Amino acid sequence: MKRSNRKKGKSSQAIFTRFMIVVGFFILWLGGIGIRLVYLQVSQHEELKERALRTRQDVKQTKMLRGSILDRNGRALAMSVRVKTLYADPVSIDDPASAAATLAKVLKVDEQPLASQLRALKEAGKRYLPLARKLDEEAVQRLNKALDLADVRKADLPNFKGLHWADEQKRSYPQQSLAAQVVGLSNDEDEGIAGIELSQELVLRGPTVEKRQKRDRLGRVYDEEVLAGEAPGDVVLTIDAKLQYMVEQSLEEGVRSANAKSGMAVVLAPKTGEVLALANYPTFDPNEITERSMANMTNQAVQLVYSPGSVFKLVTYGSGLEKKLFKPDDMISSGNGTIEVADRVFKDSHPVGTVSYSQALAHSSNVCAIKTALSVGREDFAGFVRRMGFGAKTGIELPAETSGTVRPVSKWNGDSLASMSIGYEIDVSALQMTSVFATIANNGLRVQPRIVKEIRRAGQPASVSPQPEQTQIVTPETAGALRTMLKQVVLTGTGRRARLNGYTVAGKTGTAWKYNPKTRSVDPSKYISSFIGMAPADDPEIVIGVVMDEPKSGARDGGMVSAPVFREIAQQLLHELKVPTDAPIRQDMALNEEGPEPLDVPVEDKKPEKKTVVTAPKEERQSDKLEKARPPEKKDKTRDDGKKPERPLAERERLSAWVKTENGRRDCRRLLEGIRVET
């Protein structure tokens, strides 16, 4: 009995031991599984989640189309179009060398560098290598056909393992070079780098669109989620594309005719401050950027500074009128045509004697301008210059605008006031100078120039640009007196070539030597020639500034070079804008033009041993040019000794009669403008 109980006890013990072993095994097994689950769910959670998402979900990021840039009438100056980029996923490519061999033939690229790139990126686990960027739909279809492999099955095109298409955009400029420096351009990353493209980047930039697609095991999309920010806006400019084209054509013709280095033209509406046109020549096509064209990307009308010369006399006489020192009809004497200031002798090219202030401005007398500035005084003159806006940016919505240079009075030399009164020792931009004339055109009320009219966003009302800042700079009486004086410049003075048919004009010419930073002195061989005017003179609708840099052909002064360009621009624009005429319309308009304008020469370095006479280089006079004209009937003969014989009386009379004819007047005008006349 005891033995039987002993056997039962051993059997129960064995069963219990086996049970506990099994239980222990399961505990260890479950514990291992639990530890593994904890490791996977906690430590490896993010990695596994990302791997799972990659397996069943694609995340594609694209940008909304960048906003458009439009002219004031809605014509597109810059816009974006949909394109595609072919890229490789190196991780998905089994044999980089074989893939590179095929791709090199289709894409016409070098095989070895491509194979090396694919291998390196595959080893690094990188999944993006662009192969052909920003292709249109025709090019996409052509590559899909060339890369269609029969033994490959893919959910997307091209049918080539490891290759995919990415949606992108490309910037297009439909008007090509029209207003190129104003519109600017964007880079391959669709970021603005110049012009309005840069200054309005926050408005134009398209937000990133994230598209999440869930796929089944065959790669078919069964769910899609799209996340995007606020849509970009369109920028509407104050520029009129039609007017801009007219201005650019006239400016190009003027630059070529004068054989100038470059030219600038600014057209302002003085009552609103709107820029109707802003042109630079040479220009460029933002659709085709080359190393050579990049040199023409600078918006010189806004970024370039220069010494204005005689156009600055508007400020000089304006400062005197504002202090009520004279009236336009009051008389002023230029003496013998010279004036001494701080051991400097300034000299007019041709003394004008005692004339009215209007005539002094009309004939661009340096002596009279200097006398006027001296009567105003250094402090008051400097304050007036600052008040007119010089030395500060205009605030136009364009990048890299210059503020120009106006030195404080404490740094002036003894002759600085005299120099500034004729447009030296001060640097301005074409936009600044044109804006000052616009202030006078608007009865002394300065309206801040602007080039952005409004911002448009889809589904929202247009956001009109804020009302530009307006400041009364001079009294309406001063502005009216200045316009009266400027009219005389065009009627009887150096600006006769700016006269219009059917419209009165008020304006001023300017001719100045350029400053050479290398020699730190002026260069008498290089000129800046300008004309800035307004029309109609009594109630101006437009103000136009034309600046020519380094004209080289014929007479190079502002009256000969820039005034005719102003005339061509103004005549077309006033007609296009349907501005009512305020002067007789003549079928045959004789300009009765004078000879070249006297140069406004700068002050040279002091020479204590003798006084420096500041004068202009000799220019060919009108009488000399007319003497060179030949009637079509007969040419001069030369005597045996090489000297020309004296003209017979009959021939001189015939020459005089020919000059008075319509053809004679036309050829003489062309000759005076530096155009060769065939006789």
Side-chain angles (χ1 to χ4, degrees):
M1 188 70 179
K2 289 181 178 180
R3 185 179 296 175
S4 176
N5 289 337
R6 201 177 289 122
K7 286 182 179 180
K8 288 181 180 180
K10 289 180 179 180
S11 177
S12 298
Q13 183 67 31
I15 292 171
F16 177 77
T17 300
R18 292 191 188 102
F19 174 75
M20 292 304 295
I21 290 173
V22 172
V23 170
F25 173 77
F26 276 104
I27 291 174
L28 291 174
W29 181 58
L30 292 174
I33 292 175
I35 293 172
R36 179 62 176 170
L37 288 174
V38 170
Y39 173 74
L40 294 175
Q41 293 294 325
V42 178
S43 300
Q44 298 293 309
H45 173 74
E46 294 299 329
E47 181 181 345
L48 293 174
K49 181 181 178 180
E50 184 178 347
R51 188 183 301 176
L53 286 174
R54 282 201 305 266
T55 302
R56 63 184 179 87
Q57 176 177 283
D58 286 338
V59 178
K60 294 184 177 181
Q61 290 186 338
T62 58
K63 280 187 177 181
M64 283 189 182
L65 286 179
R66 186 175 176 85
S68 298
I69 300 175
L70 314 170
D71 84 333
R72 65 186 303 120
N73 299 314
R75 181 176 297 181
L77 302 175
M79 59 187 295
S80 291
V81 293
R82 287 291 183 191
V83 290
K84 291 186 177 182
T85 290
L86 179 67
Y87 73 94
D89 177 3
V91 174
S92 302
I93 296 177
D94 298 328
D95 187 355
S98 176
T102 302
L103 291 173
K105 293 179 181 179
V106 175
L107 301 176
K108 295 180 174 55
V109 296
D110 292 337
E111 177 181 343
Q112 292 303 321
L114 179 58
S116 299
Q117 280 185 298
L118 290 172
R119 278 194 297 269
L121 293 176
K122 182 179 177 68
E123 293 172 0
K126 303 296 183 182
R127 312 201 66 161
Y128 183 81
L129 175 63
L131 301 174
R133 303 202 64 176
K134 300 193 174 185
L135 304 179
D136 57 24
E137 189 60 30
E138 183 180 348
V140 169
Q141 295 301 328
R142 187 170 59 251
L143 284 180
N144 282 339
K145 184 176 181 180
L147 295 171
D148 188 8
L149 301 182
D151 57 341
V152 175
R153 294 183 62 189
K154 274 174 82 250
D156 62 336
L157 297 174
N159 198 30
F160 192 106
K161 190 173 183 180
L163 297 190
H164 307 278
W165 288 106
D167 292 328
E168 289 192 339
Q169 57 182 292
K170 181 180 180 180
R171 203 60 167 166
S172 173
Y173 300 90
Q175 308 303 322
Q176 298 176 323
S177 63
L178 189 75
Q181 289 87 355
V182 172
V183 174
L185 71 160
S186 59
N187 59 18
D188 288 340
E189 303 302 322
D190 299 308
E191 299 170 340
I193 59 174
I196 291 295
E197 293 274 31
L198 174 59
S199 68
Q200 302 300 308
E201 170 68 14
L202 295 180
V203 175
L204 295 168
R205 182 174 57 197
T208 300
V209 178
E210 188 172 273
K211 185 183 295 185
R212 299 176 180 177
Q213 296 177 330
K214 293 182 179 180
R215 300 176 180 272
D216 60 15
R217 63 186 183 86
L218 297 178
R220 295 172 298 191
V221 177
Y222 66 87
D223 189 22
E224 184 175 86
E225 181 182 11
V226 179
L227 303 175
E230 185 182 13
D234 296 335
V235 177
V236 182
L237 304 182
T238 60
I239 281 179
D240 186 314
K242 190 173 183 179
L243 302 185
Q244 178 76 21
Y245 177 79
M246 295 176 180
V247 173
E248 290 190 4
Q249 291 298 303
S250 298
L251 181 64
E252 178 181 354
E253 183 179 344
V255 171
R256 291 180 178 274
S257 177
N259 192 23
K261 177 182 178 182
S262 62
M264 301 159 266
V266 181
V267 181
L268 291 177
K271 298 173 185 177
T272 64
E274 292 184 341
V275 177
L276 301 180
L278 195 157
N280 295 266
Y281 186 83
T283 185
F284 71 101
D285 184 350
N287 293 302
E288 300 176 2
I289 297 299
T290 63
E291 186 175 346
R292 182 178 179 181
S293 67
M294 289 183 68
N296 301 324
M297 288 173 55
T298 302
N299 191 342
Q300 296 191 45
V302 176
Q303 299 173 239
L304 178 71
V305 295
Y306 63 95
S307 295
S310 269
V311 291
F312 199 77
K313 290 174 183 174
L314 171 84
V315 180
T316 302
Y317 288 105
S319 65
L321 286 168
E322 192 72 354
K323 290 189 70 174
K324 302 186 186 314
L325 298 179
F326 65 88
K327 295 179 180 178
D329 292 335
D330 290 346
M331 306 302 286
I332 183 173
S333 173
S334 67
N336 62 352
T338 64
I339 185 172
E340 181 179 341
V341 180
D343 296 331
R344 286 293 183 276
V345 177
F346 295 80
K347 183 178 180 181
D348 284 335
S349 294
H350 56 280
V352 296
T354 300
V355 293
S356 68
Y357 278 87
S358 290
Q359 284 298 321
L361 179 62
H363 296 286
S364 203
S365 168
N366 292 337
V367 173
C368 294
I370 292 171
K371 280 188 173 183
T372 302
L374 293 175
S375 65
V376 172
R378 291 161 63 98
E379 295 293 340
D380 287 346
F381 186 82
F384 189 78
V385 168
R386 289 282 186 182
R387 195 165 34 144
M388 293 297 281
F390 296 105
K393 298 178 179 180
T394 66
I396 195 169
E397 307 94 331
L398 287 169
E401 182 189 6
T402 180
S403 59
T405 305
V406 178
R407 293 186 301 155
V409 177
S410 59
K411 295 186 178 180
W412 285 15
N413 300 318
D415 53 8
S416 291
L417 179 57
S419 295
M420 288 184 67
S421 70
I422 61 174
Y424 283 93
E425 294 196 30
I426 184 170
D427 291 328
V428 304
S429 70
L431 177 63
Q432 274 183 330
M433 204 69 237
T434 307
S435 177
V436 168
F437 274 72
T439 298
I440 303 307
N442 196 33
N443 284 324
L445 182 65
R446 180 186 184 275
V447 182
Q448 178 181 329
R450 59 174 181 155
I451 203 166
V452 174
K453 190 174 184 65
E454 62 185 29
I455 305 297
R456 297 176 183 173
R457 295 185 186 274
Q460 300 180 20
S463 173
V464 181
S465 296
Q467 185 69 22
E469 180 183 344
Q470 300 187 20
T471 310
Q472 192 72 42
I473 303 300
V474 298
T475 63
E477 292 75 19
T478 295
L482 282 172
R483 289 199 302 273
T484 298
M485 297 173 70
L486 293 173
K487 285 168 65 176
Q488 202 64 38
V489 175
V490 178
L491 288 173
T492 63
T494 59
R496 292 187 178 188
R497 289 167 186 79
R499 290 169 60 188
L500 301 177
N501 197 358
Y503 299 95
T504 57
V505 179
K508 184 68 186 79
T509 56
T511 311
W513 284 340
K514 289 184 67 175
Y515 180 78
N516 189 333
K518 293 183 179 179
T519 61
R520 304 185 69 178
S521 62
V522 295
D523 187 344
S525 67
K526 296 180 179 179
Y527 295 61
I528 287 283
S529 302
S530 60
F531 182 88
I532 305 179
M534 58 194 75
D538 294 325
D539 186 18
E541 291 292 332
I542 57 173
V543 176
I544 303 171
V546 177
V547 181
M548 293 291 189
D549 187 9
E550 298 186 22
K552 301 179 182 66
S553 295
R556 296 174 285 172
D557 57 86
M560 298 289 282
V561 172
S562 299
V565 178
F566 167 90
R567 182 179 63 212
E568 292 297 321
I569 293 173
Q571 198 75 59
Q572 295 181 77
L573 265 56
L574 290 167
H575 175 74
E576 185 65 30
L577 294 171
K578 296 179 172 57
V579 177
T581 59
D582 68 334
I585 298 177
R586 301 175 182 174
Q587 297 300 322
D588 182 19
M589 186 175 175
L591 298 181
N592 189 25
E593 299 162 337
E594 283 192 344
E597 170 194 7
L599 282 175
D600 307 304
V601 294
V603 179
E604 300 176 359
D605 294 335
K606 284 191 175 183
K607 296 181 181 178
E609 62 277 10
K610 63 178 180 178
K611 294 179 180 178
T612 302
V613 177
V614 182
T615 184
K618 291 182 179 179
E619 293 281 356
E620 191 172 30
R621 296 183 181 275
Q622 180 184 10
S623 58
D624 298 331
K625 290 190 173 184
L626 289 176
E627 180 63 24
K628 292 181 179 179
R630 298 288 184 269
E633 295 89 346
K634 188 175 181 180
K635 295 185 179 180
D636 290 337
K637 295 182 179 179
T638 304
R639 298 192 314 199
D640 295 337
D641 57 2
K643 296 181 180 179
K644 292 182 179 179
E646 184 179 353
R647 293 181 183 275
L649 179 61
E651 186 175 346
R652 291 201 301 271
E653 290 177 348
R654 187 166 58 251
L655 172 61
S656 177
W658 170 71
V659 169
K660 294 178 182 178
T661 65
E662 180 180 348
N663 290 337
R665 288 198 306 270
R666 181 200 62 201
D667 288 345
C668 287
R669 285 200 303 271
R670 296 180 64 199
L671 188 62
L672 289 171
E673 293 174 358
I675 302 174
R676 184 184 176 197
V677 178
E678 297 291 345
T679 61

